[in-house]
Amino acid sequence: MAKTMRSTAPLNAPRHVAIIMDGNGRWANARGMPRTAGHRAGVERVREAVRTAAEAGIQYLTLFAFSSENWNRPKEEVSDLMGILRFFIRRDLAELHSENVRVKVLGCRQNIEPDISALLMEAEDRTRDNTGVTLMIAFNYGARDELVRATRSIVAAVTAGHLDAAAIDEATLSAHVDTAGIPDPDLVIRTSGEQRLSNFLLWQAAYSEFVFMPCLWPDFDRAAFHDALAEFSRRDRRFGAVPTPNLAVGS
């Protein structure tokens, strides 16, 4: 039987946390190391982030692993990244499964090398029935591309007569994006001090809280994760509404 990590969740823990894992290359450059070394160090933080999320009672953790724009990086670096991905899945899938983690992959599946596509499918299929943290890996992912793909799917449904165009609403689009059936992220974290979304979850992050961490991703340890969660706990989330004053009796 798969084991479930013990939760130490605060009452106001976010249900869904998404992380833009930024700064691997700069971390390596600062140490006179090749960028690949930074990416490998970043993988270790992925493992720790999953464990920390489970312990904190976070139900969904989305990690921006490889964007659709990252293909424009030097070929050697892209090749190294693909090798790291292969290594991570082959080595860690059994452990993730034993820890009751469910894996879901976001992003476009076209034009991906067949063995990587097969590994991603294996990760999803093998962990499909797990009930612990859902780990969503955004691979070959870009939010604008996601919205284009969702739009095409909706148009096809209308053309086929399965959907009334007049009935299209926000829920319709949410049902056709890669995170269909998953709650929107409560918290988006970005490491390395950069303060932008970089084409990540543009639709889903409409009301997310943002925490920008100064540390580079390979330095984003358990303590840094908890610092981000503590910052989230101090936020007053109103979702566009005006809070109703809580007036004491007789005031």
Side-chain angles (χ1 to χ4, degrees):
M1 178 181 296
K3 66 179 181 179
T4 304
M5 298 180 186
R6 182 173 62 88
S7 171
T8 56
L11 293 178
N12 56 347
R15 187 179 182 189
H16 180 179
V17 174
I19 305 179
I20 301 173
M21 306 180 294
D22 194 16
N24 289 343
R26 277 167 282 174
W27 183 91
N29 290 338
R31 290 160 177 78
M33 304 165 69
R35 290 175 62 87
T36 303
H39 296 312
R40 294 187 182 280
V43 169
E44 298 303 319
R45 290 309 183 197
V46 168
R47 299 186 184 100
E48 186 172 15
V50 174
R51 297 188 186 100
T52 303
E55 293 165 358
I58 295 164
Q59 298 177 40
Y60 303 91
L61 177 66
T62 301
L63 302 179
F64 201 4
F66 190 85
S67 78
S68 52
E69 289 80 20
N70 286 157
W71 295 109
N72 296 320
R73 292 187 176 189
K75 290 184 179 180
E76 288 186 2
E77 182 175 353
V78 171
S79 179
D80 287 337
L81 286 168
M82 295 303 104
I84 291 171
L85 176 64
R86 291 183 179 96
F87 180 76
F88 172 76
I89 296 177
R90 288 168 179 159
R91 189 183 77 170
D92 288 42
L93 181 56
E95 181 177 352
L96 290 170
H97 184 46
S98 72
E99 293 176 346
N100 202 24
V101 175
R102 178 167 70 109
V103 177
K104 179 176 173 59
V105 180
L106 313 180
C108 181
R109 300 294 180 95
Q110 296 179 352
N111 302 320
I112 296 176
E113 294 182 39
D115 69 312
I116 291 181
S117 180
L119 284 171
L120 296 176
M121 290 180 62
E122 179 187 356
E124 290 184 314
D125 292 343
R126 187 171 179 183
T127 64
R128 190 177 305 279
D129 296 327
N130 289 346
T131 57
V133 174
T134 294
L135 171 62
M136 290 183 285
I137 301 173
F139 174 78
N140 194 27
Y141 174 88
R144 288 183 174 181
D145 173 72
E146 175 188 35
L147 293 173
V148 169
R149 289 186 284 108
T151 302
R152 288 173 178 164
S153 179
I154 292 171
V155 169
V158 171
T159 302
H162 302 313
L163 178 65
D164 181 1
I168 296 173
D169 56 11
E170 291 185 11
T172 306
L173 186 54
S174 291
H176 286 80
V177 295
D178 294 352
T179 55
I182 303 294
D184 292 339
D186 303 290
L187 171 63
V188 175
I189 300 170
R190 180 166 187 153
T191 58
S192 86
E194 303 291 349
Q195 300 185 19
R196 57 181 178 272
L197 269 176
S198 294
N199 201 18
F200 182 54
L201 300 180
L202 298 180
W203 174 262
Q204 298 88 337
Y207 280 102
S208 300
E209 296 295 321
F210 293 86
V211 173
F212 300 106
M213 304 293 291
C215 62
L216 303 174
W217 174 249
D219 295 324
F220 186 79
D221 57 12
R222 185 184 304 265
F225 201 154
H226 281 288
D227 286 345
L229 296 177
E231 173 61 28
F232 172 83
S233 71
R234 293 189 286 269
R235 302 286 177 86
D236 180 16
R237 305 186 73 201
R238 297 187 296 275
F239 301 95
V242 177
T244 302
N246 185 16
L247 301 177
V249 176
S251 61

